[in-house]
Amino acid sequence: MKRYEDPQWKESMGITLDFNNMMSGMIGGEQGISGSSMEAMSDSLASAAKAMEQKRAEGRMDWRDLPYNQKETVEDIKRTASGIRDRFDAFVVLGIGGSALGPIAVQQALNHAHYNELPREKRDGYPRFYVEDNVDPEKMQALFDVIDLTKTVFNVITKSGSTSETMSQFLIIKDMLQQKLGDQYREHLIATTDRENGNLIRIAKAEGLKTFYIPRGVGGRFSELSPVGLLSAAVCGIDIEEMLAGAAYMDEICKDENIRENPAYMAAALQYLAMKSGKNISVMMPYADSLKYIADWYAQLWAESLGKRFNSRGETVHAGQTPVKALGVTDQHSQVQLYTEGPFDKVVTFLKVGRYRTTVKIANGFEEIPAVSFLGGHTMNELIHAEQTATEYALLKAKRMNRTITLPEVNAFTVGELLYFLEVETAFAGELLGINAFDQPGVEEGKNATYALLGRPGYEAKKAELTARPEKKPEYVLKGKVREPVGSAV
């Protein structure tokens, strides 16, 4: 029996949400949330819960079924990953947004912090892992300095196949592979896209590429538990079945319509009330380097889902809460000053780890300097826990809203739980805000302008619109001046 099939083990791995420090009983009535304010929105909460259930039943939340309906896909992913491990030295994801942030976050969370720098035998034979998530030409060129094209597999991920950034990378890589390998280039490319629609599936079929499919009702930022994230995880030795089991465990908990028994619904309701009271910034602060990029993934999920100009009735609302990434303990020395003494406009979410996967003891020394020697005999584990508790206390004392999500330990099960929890929280927050959490019209405007500027057919009107925009005034463009060194001859 695998450990995630053991009910007792699963229960011991349940993540927890502590929201004490968002309540008025802890931080006072002026900044905190009262029990009466929660009671006052009971009808809204019930309506939002029913809407969530109805949308799922109607197939409008297909991402919620990913923990259950991918048995054959998972087996195919595992076979493919095994073949890649046997033949190749590197695996590169070509993607952006949800196609990149999820794979990066899971890799950082569950594999060695310096995974790519380990000798292959210390990686258990798994390939090195890279993600090309930008179109910076210097970064793209740098990739070719550290990989051997003939020993690398590229996974191009875009549901539509019209993502300019990803498809530009694909065109570059395909051309290089064909020049180097001829017809064998196909063995080095895997497409992850829509099963029926879009440019990439047309190309994949015409070129005979190995293909994985993104379910129709699964958008990019909700796609990490689909082949978008599962393939790269499996290629690097991560137990994807355990990840899905963690998501399924959280799903069962999140089916409860009673908000006091549903951590994701409670989290969303509290964030909603915080937004209504002017807390328009959501800080995620993991106290583990392994979870650092979970905050990056969350930033897209929260911002793109909730940042909407119009509500579902077409009314202008300009909804949303700005996500900010921080890392404990690092950002105690760069951001916490603002959080404790700046504006009362933030909710800070701590990600806490109960047990780290290793223990490092702090050596004794310099007994004549008590301010240093007191550390000796403790562990770094104790220190980072103390730092998190201290920061939480400092925010509490300053009457600043904060909450703590605790993972008993970082493993595939708890990461699957956490990702799913945050997805459900986001969707429920969207229902409370009365907006569509699953579109991104603000992103489309920038995409369309990019297409027009590069001459994509069909975007001539957008090109004319861009050409007609007001010209920039030269007096508002300043050039730096070179100062003569002091004492220099004129």
Coordinates of all heavy atoms in Angstrom, one line a residue, residues 157-187:
I157 N 4.2 24.2 -24.3 CA 2.9 24.2 -23.7 C 2.1 25.5 -24.0 O 2.5 26.5 -23.6 CB 3.1 24.1 -22.1 CG1 3.9 22.8 -21.8 CG2 1.7 23.9 -21.5 CD1 4.3 22.8 -20.3
T158 N 1.1 25.3 -24.7 CA 0.1 26.4 -24.9 C -1.2 25.8 -25.4 O -1.2 25.1 -26.4 CB 0.7 27.5 -25.9 OG1 -0.4 28.3 -26.4 CG2 1.3 26.9 -27.2
K159 N -2.2 26.2 -24.8 CA -3.5 25.6 -25.1 C -4.0 26.0 -26.5 O -4.5 25.2 -27.3 CB -4.6 25.9 -24.1 CG -5.8 25.1 -24.1 CD -6.7 25.3 -22.9 CE -7.9 24.3 -22.9 NZ -8.7 24.5 -21.7
S160 N -3.8 27.3 -26.8 CA -4.3 27.9 -28.0 C -3.3 27.7 -29.2 O -3.7 27.7 -30.4 CB -4.6 29.4 -27.9 OG -3.4 30.1 -27.6
G161 N -2.0 27.6 -28.8 CA -1.0 27.6 -29.9 C -0.8 29.0 -30.5 O -0.1 29.1 -31.5
S162 N -1.4 30.0 -29.9 CA -1.2 31.4 -30.4 C -0.5 32.3 -29.4 O -0.5 33.5 -29.6 CB -2.6 32.0 -30.8 OG -3.5 32.0 -29.7
T163 N 0.0 31.7 -28.4 CA 0.8 32.5 -27.4 C 2.1 32.9 -28.1 O 3.0 32.0 -28.3 CB 1.1 31.6 -26.1 OG1 -0.2 31.2 -25.6 CG2 1.8 32.5 -25.1
S164 N 2.3 34.1 -28.4 CA 3.5 34.6 -29.2 C 4.8 34.2 -28.5 O 5.7 33.7 -29.2 CB 3.4 36.1 -29.3 OG 2.3 36.5 -30.1
E165 N 4.9 34.3 -27.2 CA 6.1 34.0 -26.5 C 6.5 32.6 -26.7 O 7.7 32.2 -27.1 CB 6.0 34.4 -25.1 CG 5.7 35.8 -24.8 CD 4.3 36.2 -24.7 OE1 3.4 35.3 -25.1 OE2 3.9 37.3 -24.4
T166 N 5.6 31.7 -26.4 CA 5.9 30.3 -26.5 C 6.1 29.8 -27.9 O 7.0 29.0 -28.2 CB 4.7 29.5 -25.9 OG1 4.5 29.9 -24.5 CG2 5.0 28.0 -25.9
M167 N 5.3 30.3 -28.8 CA 5.4 29.8 -30.2 C 6.7 30.4 -30.9 O 7.3 29.7 -31.8 CB 4.2 30.2 -31.0 CG 2.9 29.5 -30.6 SD 3.1 27.7 -30.4 CE 3.1 27.2 -32.2
S168 N 7.2 31.5 -30.5 CA 8.4 32.0 -31.0 C 9.6 31.1 -30.5 O 10.5 30.8 -31.3 CB 8.7 33.5 -30.5 OG 8.9 33.6 -29.1
Q169 N 9.5 30.7 -29.3 CA 10.5 29.8 -28.8 C 10.5 28.5 -29.5 O 11.5 27.9 -29.9 CB 10.3 29.5 -27.3 CG 10.5 30.7 -26.4 CD 10.0 30.5 -25.0 OE1 9.3 29.6 -24.7 NE2 10.5 31.3 -24.0
F170 N 9.3 28.0 -29.8 CA 9.1 26.7 -30.5 C 9.7 26.8 -31.9 O 10.3 25.9 -32.3 CB 7.6 26.4 -30.5 CG 7.2 25.3 -31.4 CD1 7.6 24.0 -31.2 CD2 6.4 25.5 -32.6 CE1 7.3 22.9 -32.0 CE2 6.1 24.4 -33.4 CZ 6.5 23.1 -33.1
L171 N 9.4 27.9 -32.6 CA 9.9 28.1 -33.9 C 11.5 28.0 -33.9 O 12.1 27.4 -34.8 CB 9.4 29.4 -34.5 CG 8.0 29.4 -34.9 CD1 7.5 30.8 -35.3 CD2 7.7 28.5 -36.1
I172 N 12.1 28.7 -32.9 CA 13.5 28.7 -32.8 C 14.1 27.3 -32.6 O 15.0 26.8 -33.3 CB 14.0 29.7 -31.7 CG1 13.6 31.1 -32.1 CG2 15.5 29.5 -31.4 CD1 13.7 32.1 -30.9
I173 N 13.5 26.6 -31.6 CA 14.0 25.3 -31.2 C 13.7 24.3 -32.4 O 14.6 23.5 -32.7 CB 13.3 24.8 -30.0 CG1 13.6 25.7 -28.8 CG2 13.6 23.3 -29.7 CD1 15.1 25.7 -28.4
K174 N 12.6 24.3 -33.0 CA 12.3 23.4 -34.1 C 13.3 23.5 -35.2 O 13.8 22.5 -35.7 CB 10.9 23.6 -34.6 CG 10.5 22.7 -35.8 CD 9.0 22.9 -36.2 CE 8.7 22.1 -37.4 NZ 9.3 22.6 -38.6
D175 N 13.6 24.8 -35.6 CA 14.5 25.0 -36.6 C 15.9 24.5 -36.3 O 16.6 23.8 -37.1 CB 14.6 26.5 -36.9 CG 15.5 26.8 -38.1 OD1 15.3 26.4 -39.2 OD2 16.5 27.5 -37.9
M176 N 16.3 24.7 -35.1 CA 17.7 24.3 -34.6 C 17.7 22.7 -34.6 O 18.7 22.1 -35.1 CB 18.0 24.8 -33.2 CG 18.2 26.3 -33.2 SD 18.5 27.0 -31.5 CE 20.1 26.3 -31.2
L177 N 16.7 22.1 -34.1 CA 16.7 20.6 -34.1 C 16.7 20.0 -35.5 O 17.4 19.0 -35.7 CB 15.4 20.2 -33.3 CG 15.4 20.4 -31.8 CD1 14.1 20.0 -31.2 CD2 16.5 19.5 -31.1
Q178 N 15.9 20.6 -36.4 CA 15.8 20.1 -37.7 C 17.2 20.2 -38.4 O 17.6 19.3 -39.1 CB 14.8 20.8 -38.5 CG 13.4 20.3 -38.3 CD 12.3 21.0 -39.1 OE1 12.1 22.2 -39.1 NE2 11.7 20.2 -40.0
Q179 N 17.9 21.3 -38.2 CA 19.2 21.5 -38.8 C 20.2 20.5 -38.3 O 21.0 20.0 -39.0 CB 19.7 22.9 -38.6 CG 18.9 24.0 -39.3 CD 19.6 25.4 -39.2 OE1 20.8 25.5 -39.2 NE2 18.7 26.4 -39.1
K180 N 20.0 20.2 -37.0 CA 21.0 19.3 -36.4 C 20.7 17.8 -36.5 O 21.5 17.0 -36.7 CB 21.1 19.6 -34.9 CG 22.3 19.0 -34.2 CD 23.0 20.1 -33.4 CE 24.3 19.6 -32.8 NZ 25.3 20.6 -32.6
L181 N 19.4 17.5 -36.5 CA 19.0 16.1 -36.4 C 18.1 15.6 -37.6 O 17.8 14.4 -37.7 CB 18.2 15.9 -35.1 CG 18.9 16.2 -33.8 CD1 17.9 16.2 -32.7 CD2 20.0 15.1 -33.6
G182 N 17.8 16.5 -38.5 CA 16.9 16.1 -39.6 C 15.5 15.6 -39.1 O 15.0 16.2 -38.2
D183 N 15.0 14.5 -39.7 CA 13.7 14.0 -39.3 C 13.6 13.5 -37.9 O 12.5 13.4 -37.4 CB 13.3 12.9 -40.3 CG 13.0 13.4 -41.7 OD1 12.8 14.7 -41.8 OD2 13.0 12.6 -42.6
Q184 N 14.7 13.2 -37.3 CA 14.7 12.8 -35.9 C 14.3 13.8 -34.9 O 14.2 13.6 -33.7 CB 16.0 12.1 -35.5 CG 16.3 10.8 -36.3 CD 17.6 10.2 -35.8 OE1 18.5 10.9 -35.4 NE2 17.7 8.9 -35.9
Y185 N 14.2 15.1 -35.4 CA 13.9 16.2 -34.4 C 12.6 16.0 -33.7 O 12.4 16.4 -32.5 CB 13.8 17.5 -35.2 CG 12.5 17.8 -35.9 CD1 11.5 18.5 -35.3 CD2 12.2 17.3 -37.2 CE1 10.2 18.7 -35.9 CE2 11.0 17.5 -37.8 CZ 10.0 18.2 -37.1 OH 8.8 18.4 -37.8
R186 N 11.7 15.2 -34.3 CA 10.4 15.0 -33.6 C 10.5 14.3 -32.3 O 9.7 14.4 -31.4 CB 9.5 14.1 -34.6 CG 9.1 14.8 -35.9 CD 8.3 13.9 -36.7 NE 7.9 14.6 -38.0 CZ 8.6 14.6 -39.1 NH1 9.8 14.0 -39.1 NH2 8.2 15.2 -40.2
E187 N 11.5 13.5 -32.1 CA 11.8 12.7 -30.9 C 12.1 13.7 -29.7 O 12.1 13.3 -28.6 CB 12.8 11.7 -31.1 CG 12.5 10.6 -32.1 CD 13.7 9.7 -32.4 OE1 14.6 9.7 -31.6 OE2 13.6 9.0 -33.4

